[in-house]
Amino acid sequence: MTASKQPLWISDAIAKAVDGVANSNFAVMGVAFDSREVGSGDLFIAMKGESSDGHLFLDKAFANGAAGAISEQVIDSPHILVEDSAVALNRLGEAARARTDAQIIGVTGSAGKTGTKEALFECLARIAPDKAHRSVKSYNNHVGVPLSLARMPGDSRYGIFEMGMNHAGELADLTKIVRPHVAIVTTVAPAHVGHFPSLEAIADAKGEIFSGLEPGGTAIIPYDSPYRDRLIEAASPYAAKIVTFGLGEGADVRALDWVPAGNGGTLITARLPGQTSLCFTLSAPGEHWVANAMAILAAVQAVGGDLAAAGLALAELPGLPGRGARHHIEMGEGTALLIDESYNANPASMAATIGQLGREPAERRIAVLGAMRELGDDSDHYHAALADHLAEANVNYALLIGEEMKILASALEGRVEFAHGPDAAWALQQLRATMRQGDAVLIKGSNAVGLGKIVSALTGGET
């Protein structure tokens, strides 16, 4: 689970960190709580969940190569015996944070946090090969964050951790474990709005990340957000320095201009504090990525990183599965462009990615849209509002999936050609019958809708 050749943890250190008892001496190279992800030399943490109990998979974990386990039960294999494995994971994460001198960056936001986290990792890994660490996948909750910390080698120079929330108070707890030197809010938008009374309440919940800042820490805040001042107010008691980023005049780190690049990305000229300008190519297309890049540069500068090296990394940034990966699908004598945004969706990210679809050079533009979840009583409003974005982007055809999309279907009547169906399997069948060379196809929806199956099927994965 880690590139370090030295053991990540030894049993004595684990036992001390989690207040447990080791039945033998062992060393581990990684940490996992899912037996399916256990590799050779890993520590398996057997936790009891709402629908499963990790202790039932201890044999499988050791068969997969686990070197030891954290367990609430005595077993014959090497293990640390604890009263509560979930508490033990938290303590192991805290111990990992306590033992490192790394510069720690925390990232949250209604959209863009995983992409920003991954891009920051690429930038800092370019500066310090094998000494940069980040949370994998979207491990950003009360289990994923301590797991990601526990996986961080003690000699890391940089650690980048994504933190998510869908209720007030969650980020306050997570940031106190991460204790970042730099904390970023990418954006505030109506994601999980069903759990909050207002967008202002979402902004306040995002602002909780600043409460965990280390002394002398830096808060990085979106200048163009209508909640900028609210976030600045939240950061002020904790941050020694507040840096704004964005596209508007007045941002501390600002994109002065940007134009499409020949490789499908964007050529950007940015201004930073203490720098006249930095010109670089960003491989990811879209204005939303231009803004994210400003946050990334602000963070690199805040931890004393090499901005030129960061610019090179951004030029080579690979697309993330489910978050903007681009595939060229062979169709007859040509190809169709498939844009994979299948992992998540909220009104802000929908608007941004539909807008980018409208800028793609293509013979036809097709949007395959799944429902947005956790929007509460305003769900119909936000879904219907997508009609304007689709029309403005000159989308030729829309495939709408899920009951929540019925209202969008009504709003599109007479504006954009569409079909409305029940699930991803239906959409795949429709898309296969419709797609042809020269098309640009956007696939976007909440992860629970399962649109990733469409991407897998069209790119050679499972059908």
Side-chain angles (χ1 to χ4, degrees):
M1 307 299 288
T2 174
S4 175
K5 294 181 180 179
Q6 298 297 318
L8 181 64
W9 293 98
I10 60 173
S11 51
D12 285 350
I14 298 170
K16 181 178 180 181
V18 304
D19 194 22
V21 178
N23 74 334
S24 60
N25 293 322
F26 59 90
V28 301
M29 303 302 293
V31 184
F33 60 67
D34 187 332
S35 62
R36 296 167 295 185
E37 296 183 358
V38 169
S40 179
D42 280 353
L43 174 71
F44 174 60
I45 303 179
M47 294 196 298
K48 295 177 181 177
E50 293 181 4
S51 59
S52 185
D53 184 349
H55 294 84
L56 300 175
F57 301 97
L58 280 160
D59 289 343
K60 180 180 179 182
F62 281 102
N64 287 345
I70 289 178
S71 172
E72 298 172 16
Q73 304 170 4
V74 175
I75 57 176
D76 293 334
S77 301
H79 70 284
I80 309 291
L81 183 65
V82 298
E83 291 186 6
D84 187 316
S85 295
V87 172
L89 171 59
N90 231 47
R91 289 174 175 170
L92 191 62
E94 291 172 345
R97 178 65 184 88
R99 73 178 181 175
T100 185
D101 292 325
Q103 288 286 301
I104 303 297
I105 302 172
V107 183
T108 194
S110 300
K113 52 185 176 291
T114 299
T116 298
K117 178 256 300 181
E118 290 293 327
L120 270 169
F121 171 77
E122 295 294 336
C123 291
L124 296 173
R126 183 70 64 101
I127 298 164
D130 299 328
K131 299 296 182 183
H133 173 81
R134 92 288 205 187
S135 46
V136 299
K137 300 183 180 178
S138 290
Y139 282 176
N140 61 21
N141 63 7
H142 67 286
V143 176
V145 170
L147 175 71
S148 297
L149 281 165
R151 290 172 164 176
M152 180 170 59
D155 62 352
S156 297
R157 282 181 55 188
Y158 302 104
I160 310 102
F161 298 93
E162 177 181 340
M163 288 178 267
M165 64 89 200
N166 54 23
H167 291 88
E170 290 178 339
L171 270 176
D173 293 336
L174 294 177
T175 192
K176 287 177 174 59
I177 301 172
V178 174
R179 294 192 288 116
H181 298 96
V182 177
I184 303 170
V185 175
T186 59
T187 188
V188 175
H192 312 296
V193 71
H195 300 303
F196 292 91
S198 64
L199 284 169
E200 288 78 8
I202 293 177
D204 292 341
K206 297 298 182 186
E208 292 172 11
I209 192 174
F210 303 126
S211 65
L213 276 169
E214 288 287 89
T218 300
I220 298 178
I221 288 170
Y223 179 84
D224 303 309
S225 170
Y227 307 101
R228 175 189 66 211
D229 293 342
R230 200 176 189 97
L231 291 170
I232 289 173
E233 183 179 354
S236 294
Y238 308 103
K241 187 175 184 181
I242 295 174
V243 178
T244 60
F245 71 90
L247 311 181
E249 186 174 352
D252 296 319
V253 180
R254 181 190 173 202
L256 298 177
D257 59 68
W258 58 96
V259 295
N263 65 350
T266 308
L267 179 64
I268 303 171
T269 301
R271 183 192 64 206
L272 296 95
Q275 302 281 330
T276 54
S277 65
L278 177 69
C279 187
F280 65 99
T281 299
L282 175 66
S283 65
E287 190 173 284
H288 58 298
W289 257 108
V290 176
N292 289 345
M294 297 305 101
I296 292 159
L297 293 179
V300 170
Q301 187 176 56
V303 298
D306 186 326
L307 289 169
L312 293 173
L314 290 172
E316 300 174 3
L317 188 68
L320 298 176
R323 293 183 171 87
R326 297 161 75 87
H327 305 276
H328 292 279
I329 310 298
E330 292 186 7
M331 305 288 297
E333 297 180 358
T335 62
L337 172 64
L338 182 70
I339 304 169
D340 176 15
E341 289 275 359
S342 61
Y343 186 80
N344 207 350
N346 60 54
S349 63
M350 276 283 199
T353 51
I354 291 171
Q356 178 56 33
L357 176 63
R359 290 186 285 272
E360 295 291 343
E363 294 181 14
R364 294 189 309 165
R365 300 178 182 90
I366 299 174
V368 182
L369 304 182
M372 300 178 286
R373 300 288 168 82
E374 298 185 2
L375 294 179
D377 294 339
D378 291 326
S379 178
D380 281 355
H381 165 74
Y382 287 120
H383 282 91
L386 297 179
D388 289 340
H389 297 297
L390 290 166
E392 291 167 5
N394 294 315
V395 169
N396 301 95
Y397 186 52
L399 287 171
L400 311 178
I401 303 156
E403 183 67 21
E404 296 95 330
M405 283 293 181
K406 184 180 294 184
I407 188 72
L408 175 57
S410 297
L412 285 178
E413 289 283 359
R415 303 182 69 186
V416 176
E417 185 180 353
F418 70 90
H420 180 218
D423 53 32
W426 167 85
L428 174 60
Q429 183 180 34
Q430 297 293 314
L431 190 57
R432 278 179 161 157
T434 302
M435 190 167 61
R436 62 180 185 237
Q437 68 183 55
D439 288 345
V441 181
L442 169 67
I443 298 183
K444 178 77 172 174
S446 290
N447 191 42
V449 182
L451 301 191
K453 297 175 182 177
I454 300 175
V455 177
S456 295
L458 295 176
T459 57
E462 64 184 50
T463 58

